[in-house]
Amino acid sequence: MLFAAERLMTSCHLSIDLVIGDVAITQGKSYWACCVDPSSYLVKVGVGLESKLQEWFQVPQDVVSPRYDPDSGHDSGAEDTTVEAPPPYAFLTIGMGKILLSHGSALTSRDPNGCTVPLPPRIGICLDYEQGKVSFYDAVSFRELWECGVDCSGPVCPAFCFIGGGALHLQELVDNKQERKVTIGGFAKLD
């Protein structure tokens, strides 16, 4: 069911609630943690270029669908010479008490080798702006769950997507232990 929910992000029109952090990261390393309610249907936790996050959620899903093929129709080979840039956002997909992981590929791919692991009590996100890398951790055991590149050519913001109702508690600053509850959908209102 979690794999099917992941495909919904790019294959049909859905109402998606997006929460973007109010502080953009422009340098250094940043770490924050959150607890996702295990009964949440589908929550995406991650980061993205501030300019691209809102653009992504305003574009009709057919444009980002795998059915859309930007190929010019000729075999010039020009498409093969481009260097693949890191994606403008990176999300860890969480739902129904599990995390969807893939092996060495972007989580938005349809990698049949993807697997699920149990949702830890707390997820840590570490963004290394200069390296253009984001890492996701089990914030209790500090075991790395997944790491990937992300475009850091501009301000990068923490971001959270909710489909079908969900809740999470965001720990803004790890050292002062202040928490803010964020809920969307069927559970409650956004605080």
Side-chain angles (χ1 to χ4, degrees):
M1 228 174 128
L2 189 54
F3 288 108
E6 173 67 8
R7 282 191 295 276
L8 289 175
M9 291 296 292
T10 58
S11 64
C12 69
H13 299 279
L14 289 175
S15 173
I16 299 171
D17 293 304
L18 172 67
V19 178
I20 298 175
D22 58 355
V23 177
I25 300 163
T26 57
Q27 65 182 355
K29 292 181 182 177
S30 299
Y31 179 86
W32 60 97
C34 65
C35 299
V36 177
D37 186 319
S39 65
S40 297
Y41 178 68
L42 186 66
V43 177
K44 290 181 154 292
V45 175
V47 299
L49 278 175
E50 186 175 38
S51 61
K52 296 293 183 182
L53 283 169
Q54 289 196 13
E55 188 179 298
W56 182 48
F57 283 96
Q58 292 172 355
V59 173
Q61 293 296 321
D62 288 347
V63 175
V64 294
S65 168
R67 292 174 291 187
Y68 173 75
D69 183 6
D71 192 334
S72 62
H74 60 83
D75 292 320
S76 66
E79 293 89 350
D80 299 334
T81 61
T82 59
V83 176
E84 192 170 317
Y89 35 79
F91 288 102
L92 189 65
T93 302
I94 302 159
M96 299 163 280
K98 298 196 180 290
I99 297 175
L100 175 64
L101 298 176
S102 64
H103 302 289
S105 62
L107 288 176
T108 56
S109 74
R110 291 188 174 52
D111 180 4
N113 297 321
C115 66
T116 60
V117 296
L119 177 64
R122 186 175 301 273
I123 295 173
I125 301 105
C126 182
L127 173 66
D128 185 333
Y129 189 87
E130 280 74 24
Q131 294 294 319
K133 179 175 68 171
V134 63
S135 303
F136 298 91
Y137 294 90
D138 173 333
V140 174
S141 69
F142 294 104
R143 178 179 59 97
E144 186 174 275
L145 298 169
W146 188 61
E147 180 181 283
C148 68
V150 66
D151 185 352
C152 291
S153 61
V156 175
C157 295
F160 310 92
C161 304
F162 298 86
I163 298 175
L168 66 82
H169 296 276
L170 176 62
Q171 188 172 358
E172 296 178 73
L173 299 172
V174 172
D175 54 328
N176 75 4
K177 307 260 187 232
Q178 292 179 349
E179 291 190 1
R180 179 177 72 202
K181 184 176 181 182
V182 177
T183 55
I184 298 288
F187 295 151
K189 65 180 176 64
L190 176 63
D191 290 340

